Amino acid sequence: MRALRFVFVVGGVLSGLGKGVVTASIGNLLKACGYKVTAIKIDPYVNVDAGTMRPTEHGEIFVTEDGGEIDQDLGTYERFLNQNLSKNNNITTGKVFLRVIQKERALEYNGRNVQIIPDVSDEVKNMILEVSRGYEISLVEVGGTTGDIENLVFLHAIRELSEEYPSATVMVSYLPFLENVGELKTKPTQHAVARLRESGLFPDFIVARSELGLDEPRKEKLARHCFVPKAHIIDDPTVDNIYKVPLIFEKQKFHEKLLKKLGLPFKKYENKKWKEFTEKFESGEEVKIALVGKYVTYGNTEHKDVYISVIEAVKHGSAKIGAKPVIVQLDSRKLEGNGVEFLKEFHGIIVPGGFGTTGIEGKIKAIKFAREQNIPFLGLCLGMQLAVIEFARNVCGLKKANSTEFDPKTPHPVIDVIPEQKELLEKKMYGATMRLGAWEAVLKKGSRVWKIYKKRKVSERHRHRYEVNPKYIKILEKHGLVFSGKSPDGKLMEFLELPNHRFFIATQAHPEFKSRPLAPHPLFVSFLKEALKLKLETSKRK
Ligand code: GLN
């Protein structure tokens, strides 16, 4: 195998430009050229991981196979690269410092003083190299923008790596459009590149983000002012479908130019399936899906990416069956104290994962409606726990049934903390201590989920502390709830379903994390098939 090469992706002007999508798209193209590619995300925050952050402020917490609780960019990488990544592919300031301090306490620096450069920067390099080994091209995205204090040591580390390995630096920048002069402005990018140069890094490519796309004069200007060849200014206009970005880059031969810069031969390009997926994407019969969640305003805005993997999984599943999903994000708090009859207009209802008491009763109301009205329902993690609570209250007659997470004194704790988790909570050991990552479940022969997965043993990713209380399983089953998947030791309920319902399935896991454009998740595909069926039935009746 060839020696390792690096593509460094840095950002200028502002964050939130879709650097993650750019990195993932570059990975998609280089993989299509036949190279072994991996991708690393550097998050300059001091948190060790994203597990302790509020999704309503920071976006979804993505979970890897090995149980990492990670920034959502890693989810984008997995979807575009169609490959699993490790939690070690996410490097944070917190993780780096934790390692340096542990080494220092263990006298590993032999009594000398420990410094940001070279000790912290070397640790960053070590962490990048540890996960890059075995690959031909490693993509490293540095979060934030150039000029941030938090970024400096990371930029220093990648500058050193860029001298030690063949590499390319890609700057993703933004060109604002000024309405009054009718012009795209390049100046902020010029300044951002100048700041990047202060760290000793020179961009080899500029990916120019703008609402409408670049024109020739602007390309010329960027090239002259930023010392980047004109052919290396890549146009990246805002698109409605992010999966098209690799194809937009392909047209500009970004992959060929990158390979040339890396000193690698361009031998082939095979990305037919991806192209087919983007063509099928969001076309066909419309199905209306309600995503009943927690949407909290932060300042004047709501974070759009709280349930991004669920939304993407719905899109992948829809493309597979040739339907166009219309996903409506419903704030569950608004269902409380109001009628939910309007949910009838939906062809499917999803209740995703979550924590804390906000909006719980609204979600339960939506589940009751889906169960009683025979509307396809998919419950994910918290969604499964609430389906159990709803069933216990309204079918088994345990009126005050609840989870001890929301009501510690409930007379019917149908959902309770997993025994091993109790101690951790009491000791306030919150970080990275949930039941995390891939766990197996054994499916019941003949059940709906068994037919959907077409196998008995499945593995899905998890992130939870609570479970179905074993003491209540009998009564729930007696009233018709089927636990169709259990942990291999039979102790933990992993899947449930209602046999006489069109589609009422919930799981303690997060199947959304494993859905990919080229490998849509079977649970989502089946759910959408049923939603489409309902849609066609109702439109026929009209
Ligand atoms: N809050 C629940 C638990 O900890 C559900 C978690 C989730 O939905 N990811 O078990």
Side-chain angles (χ1 to χ4, degrees), residues 216-233:
E216 283 308 306
R218 251 46 64 173
K219 270 193 187 172
E220 188 77 42
K221 200 158 191 182
L222 278 178
R224 299 292 297 264
H225 285 266
C226 303
F227 314 116
V228 173
K230 198 170 147 204
H232 285 198
I233 311 277

Side-chain angles (χ1 to χ4, degrees), residues 186-237:
T186 61
K187 188 75 81 189
T189 301
Q190 297 175 31
H191 283 292
V193 170
R195 295 231 62 179
L196 185 66
R197 286 197 300 259
E198 286 170 16
S199 321
L201 280 161
F202 291 80
D204 299 299
F205 294 87
I206 292 177
V207 172
R209 287 277 298 107
S210 65
E211 301 306 321
L212 304 168
L214 278 186
D215 53 12
E216 283 308 306
R218 251 46 64 173
K219 270 193 187 172
E220 188 77 42
K221 200 158 191 182
L222 278 178
R224 299 292 297 264
H225 285 266
C226 303
F227 314 116
V228 173
K230 198 170 147 204
H232 285 198
I233 311 277
I234 308 294
D235 186 14
D236 186 11

Side-chain angles (χ1 to χ4, degrees), residues 352-356 380-383 385 405-406 415 434 463-467 508 510:
F355 296 82
L380 308 167
C381 201
L382 175 71
Q385 299 176 355
E405 181 180 2
F406 320 127
I415 305 295
M434 284 189 227
R463 181 172 186 250
H464 66 123
R465 291 192 200 280
Y466 292 79
E467 61 167 341
Q508 191 55 76
H510 287 279

Side-chain angles (χ1 to χ4, degrees), residues 14 51 61 98 105 125 137 142 172 175-176 195 214 231 236 271 292 313 383 424 460 475 481 494 505 508:
L14 30 115
I61 313 301
L98 203 60
R105 295 286 83 181
K125 285 165 68 180
I137 305 171
V142 184
V172 184
L175 275 72
R195 295 231 62 179
L214 278 186
D236 186 11
N271 218 5
V292 186
L424 296 167
E460 293 289 1
I475 179 164
L481 195 67
E494 290 279 13
I505 293 179
Q508 191 55 76

Side-chain angles (χ1 to χ4, degrees), residues 10 24 41 81 106 186 253 280 393 406 471 510:
V10 296
K41 172 77 195 289
L81 290 171
T186 61
K253 299 197 169 24
K280 277 183 80 182
R393 286 183 189 173
F406 320 127
K471 289 184 197 132
H510 287 279

